[in-house]
Amino acid sequence: MNLIRLLLLALAIWLFTLVIKRYLALARRKRGETPRIGAMVRCAVCGLHVPEAEALKRHDQYFCSTEHRDQASV
Ligand SMILES: [Zn+2]
């Protein structure tokens, strides 16, 4: 019986940390911070700076959106 209680407690703690982590990640996103961002790159069309991970790349150029990527190819 004690073991089951212990397991339930561990489960509760695990769920609790999961919720906290999700909450912290959401709060961070709301503040506009992206965790572990790499280099910022510049959109070749409008000059907007976007994280490299979110930028669209074609050849040696980066773009902020699909619209700008398509615009540049015309
Ligand atoms: Zn752009």
Side-chain angles (χ1 to χ4, degrees):
M1 201 55 153
N2 249 343
L3 189 71
I4 291 169
R5 226 181 245 180
L6 204 73
L7 279 171
L8 279 174
L9 189 72
L11 192 77
I13 290 169
W14 178 72
L15 277 171
F16 182 72
T17 48
L18 212 73
V19 168
I20 293 289
K21 269 186 194 170
R22 176 162 288 189
Y23 173 78
L24 284 176
L26 259 173
R28 205 179 294 143
R29 207 178 297 164
K30 269 185 192 159
R31 274 183 280 142
E33 294 171 24
T34 333
R36 278 168 285 146
I37 55 163
M40 297 292 279
V41 292
R42 199 168 163 272
C43 174
V45 174
C46 66
L48 187 81
H49 284 84
V50 282
E52 191 173 0
E54 287 174 31
L56 299 160
K57 194 183 181 190
R58 176 180 279 177
H59 307 304
D60 273 342
Q61 291 185 308
Y62 290 98
F63 304 95
C64 66
S65 60
T66 48
E67 286 84 19
H68 282 173
R69 186 193 58 195
D70 297 342
Q71 204 173 307
S73 65
V74 181

